[in-house]
Amino acid sequence: MAKKSLSDLGELTNPKPEVPPAAEAPAEGAPAEVAAETAAPASRRDGRRDREERVDDHGASTQGPQIEAVLREQQLDKQGRAYATGRRKDAVARVWLKPGSGKIVINGREQEVYFARPTLRLIINQVFDVTDRTGQYDVEATVKGGGLSGQAGAVRHGISTALTRYEPALRTTVKREGFLTRDPRVVERKKYGRAKARRSFQFSKR
């Protein structure tokens, strides 16, 4: 038996990996299907690269249908007024709004008489100040329930909704200020064993 050298032993222990034959290019006379299959991976890579480029810096895709803001229709009654209901705490206000000189009547009385405190009148006119419509609309409202603070908030809520129904283009401005959202804060109920919602009775040691 012939002796083997160290190089022969190395080849036996660590055989060289076989190199697969290179993919043959399609012949000129090959059918079009074979050529299409060969070009498919490249086209898929190009498509993937295009999709990656269509993603903006924030990771949002810029493709697809662009949804435009839908402008709501004007909602008026037979007298040409916009009607809305406003709520705050236990107060409920019904508001009618129409173009005018800025006169605000609440329960048959002027706002200076019904809401004597300037802060309450400021709350009512906040919507007109934000939308630059001060002195351009007349408001007639009936409000019941709650106190003066809750009634002022209910009237403001009603004016905000009525104004957006008369001028739908102002909805974004009014909504951004939060005037269209009904304030969910109400008085917490009293609990048994306590003087109020959280207040405990006075402790007596003896």
Side-chain angles (χ1 to χ4, degrees):
M1 183 175 181
K3 296 183 179 180
K4 296 183 179 180
S5 62
L6 295 177
S7 59
D8 296 336
L9 292 175
E11 292 178 358
L12 292 174
T13 55
N14 298 321
K16 294 183 180 180
E18 297 181 359
V19 179
E24 297 180 357
E28 295 181 358
E33 296 179 356
V34 178
E37 292 178 358
T38 307
S43 62
R44 283 197 293 269
R45 287 194 298 270
D46 295 340
R48 190 181 305 110
R49 189 180 302 109
D50 293 341
R51 286 194 298 271
E52 292 175 356
E53 292 176 355
R54 291 169 186 169
V55 178
D56 58 7
D57 298 336
H58 302 285
S61 177
T62 57
Q63 298 298 317
Q66 300 295 330
I67 302 176
E68 298 180 357
V70 179
L71 189 62
R72 297 169 180 256
E73 295 182 359
Q74 192 180 47
Q75 302 179 26
L76 304 178
D77 58 7
K78 295 180 180 179
Q79 287 79 24
R81 303 174 301 178
Y83 170 78
T85 303
R87 291 180 174 85
R88 172 80 168 94
K89 295 184 179 179
D90 287 338
V92 180
R94 298 187 300 165
V95 178
W96 290 268
L97 181 139
K98 64 179 180 179
S101 58
K103 184 178 180 180
I104 300 178
V105 179
I106 301 168
N107 288 347
R109 289 186 284 177
E110 298 286 341
Q111 63 169 338
E112 293 80 9
V113 178
Y114 194 87
F115 294 119
R117 282 184 286 174
T119 53
L120 300 180
R121 296 197 299 270
L122 179 65
I123 292 174
I124 293 175
N125 291 279
Q126 277 182 327
V127 187
F128 297 125
D129 295 337
V130 168
T131 56
D132 295 330
R133 296 294 188 273
T134 304
Q136 299 183 19
Y137 287 96
D138 289 342
V139 176
E140 182 179 353
T142 59
V143 59
K144 61 181 180 180
L148 291 176
S149 178
Q151 289 183 355
V155 172
R156 184 186 70 176
H157 185 212
I159 292 175
S160 304
T161 308
L163 183 61
T164 56
R165 290 177 180 176
Y166 198 94
E167 287 191 58
L170 299 177
R171 180 177 176 84
T172 303
T173 305
V174 178
K175 189 176 180 65
R176 188 184 300 116
E177 298 296 331
F179 294 151
L180 293 179
T181 304
R182 197 258 201 243
D183 195 341
R185 297 176 296 174
V186 295
V187 177
E188 187 177 352
R189 59 151 295 200
K190 180 189 180 302
K191 278 77 172 185
Y192 55 85
R194 292 185 179 272
K196 297 173 66 176
R198 307 286 179 92
R199 177 79 165 88
S200 300
F201 294 110
Q202 184 177 2
F203 174 74
S204 177
K205 191 170 184 179
R206 293 178 181 85

